[in-house]
Amino acid sequence: MMKASMKLCVFLFIISYISVSYTDLHDESRENPYPFVVSIFTKNCINNSNYGTAFIAKHNGSLFLITAAHVALAMKDESVIQICNSDLSQKTINLIDIVKDKTINWLVHETADMAILEIPKIEADFEMHSKHAVSSEKFIVNKYGVNIGDPFLHVSYPLADYLSFRNASVFTPYVFMAYSINYIMERPRIDSPNIISDQISVSPCSYQGSSGGPLISLQCNAKDFQIVGISHGNTSDLQFNHTFMSIFTPMYYFFDIVEGNKSVEFD
């Protein structure tokens, strides 16, 4: 009886914590500190597999949309990005309207789960994009820069029922606390087990729709944050529906793609 009561108390605490965090994050009096993180999805999609997270980055004067390769693969001509500005105002942009020659050509890393899409400097859209973009100078490129127990924030737009932005009065990204549970290691990709890439393992913090969202280091202050990687997915026990850990693709793969060393193109 005592054990049952304890389990009930723990369950209620978890639910209360989730509810409080969710309400607090969506308080209209707050600002969005991560306006460079956007929701990306295909309009009129049949299922949630066509939802993901991306973010806008600036590198050598050019602008890029960065997400997971498996997310980019699902994004067609009717895809859109939805932005929550720092003042919580919203903007929805059709991808086809902001890409060169009206063609959505993603550059994808040949082994890592990462894709980038260049955003041309066009008219008024450029001002909005450049204002939100995070500099590539904030990307951690040290392969030995992650230690066991390092604290992180994962910023994304998840689709889990109790976190879904679809039922929220204010559209904002959700922020998860996470801790690394190992050093950066080579592992088979979750979506393609025959492909090996460097990966970051952290405590569970990803939900459906989170893929492509950035993992932010807490080793520095809020104004001088660094991005360690992007969400790849979760490893789980299908029999018991239990998530073991969340997997992230290291950010240094971005430079492989943008410099054309290890990338392929698909549209």
Side-chain angles (χ1 to χ4, degrees):
M1 187 68 176
M2 181 64 72
K3 289 184 178 180
S5 298
M6 286 294 292
K7 288 182 179 179
L8 178 60
C9 289
V10 171
F11 176 77
L12 291 176
F13 172 79
I14 292 173
I15 295 300
S16 298
Y17 175 77
I18 291 170
S19 300
V20 170
S21 300
Y22 179 71
T23 303
D24 183 52
L25 185 66
H26 290 77
D27 186 335
E28 294 192 33
S29 66
R30 294 191 59 178
E31 296 181 350
N32 175 19
Y34 307 105
F36 59 91
V37 182
V38 303
S39 173
I40 181 171
F41 56 92
T42 299
K43 290 189 292 187
N44 303 318
C45 66
I46 299 175
N47 56 58
N48 290 345
S49 64
N50 289 356
Y51 279 87
T53 302
F55 61 99
I56 304 169
K58 182 185 296 184
H59 176 70
N60 288 343
S62 298
L63 289 170
F64 296 91
L65 191 65
I66 304 174
T67 189
H70 74 269
V71 171
L73 187 62
M75 296 299 120
K76 307 302 180 182
D77 290 348
E78 69 274 15
S79 298
V80 301
I81 58 174
Q82 191 166 5
I83 298 172
C84 175
N85 296 306
S86 56
D87 61 359
L88 298 187
S89 61
Q90 298 176 33
K91 186 176 182 66
T92 300
I93 302 174
N94 294 317
L95 277 186
I96 200 72
D97 293 335
I98 62 171
V99 292
K100 188 177 181 179
D101 300 326
K102 304 299 182 184
T103 303
I104 300 177
N105 290 323
W106 292 92
L107 288 177
V108 182
H109 198 278
E110 64 180 14
T111 58
D113 187 24
M114 185 181 291
I116 66 174
L117 179 67
E118 186 169 2
I119 304 174
K121 303 174 183 178
I122 53 174
E123 301 177 357
D125 281 322
F126 172 67
E127 181 181 356
M128 182 277 300
H129 295 316
S130 61
K131 179 178 68 174
H132 289 308
V134 59
S135 172
S136 63
E137 293 178 356
K138 291 182 176 290
F139 297 169
I140 291 181
V141 296
N142 183 359
K143 292 189 177 183
Y144 303 98
V146 174
N147 296 300
I148 297 174
D150 284 350
F152 299 106
L153 294 179
H154 174 39
V155 184
S156 65
Y157 287 89
L159 290 174
D161 290 340
Y162 55 88
L163 299 176
S164 175
F165 60 78
R166 292 171 296 177
N167 298 320
S169 59
V170 179
F171 172 82
T172 61
Y174 207 90
V175 181
F176 299 89
M177 187 77 183
Y179 296 89
S180 57
I181 59 178
N182 214 326
Y183 304 103
I184 296 178
M185 299 177 61
E186 287 190 343
R187 292 174 46 90
R189 280 177 46 169
I190 297 171
D191 56 336
S192 303
N194 59 318
I195 299 178
I196 306 296
S197 69
D198 290 351
Q199 296 175 22
I200 303 168
S201 304
V202 304
S203 53
C205 63
S206 294
Y207 295 83
Q208 187 173 11
S210 292
S211 292
L215 186 67
I216 296 175
S217 173
L218 284 183
Q219 301 293 335
C220 44
N221 61 57
K223 292 184 179 179
D224 190 31
F225 65 86
Q226 293 179 297
I227 299 179
V228 183
I230 65 171
S231 177
H232 171 47
N234 291 324
T235 60
S236 59
D237 186 327
L238 297 179
Q239 181 179 356
F240 298 102
N241 194 29
H242 175 70
T243 299
F244 290 129
M245 57 186 171
S246 294
I247 304 297
F248 287 78
T249 300
M251 210 59 235
Y252 47 73
Y253 281 121
F254 167 81
F255 299 98
D256 282 347
I257 304 175
V258 77
E259 293 168 7
N261 297 331
K262 294 183 179 180
S263 64
V264 295
E265 181 176 315
F266 68 82
D267 53 30

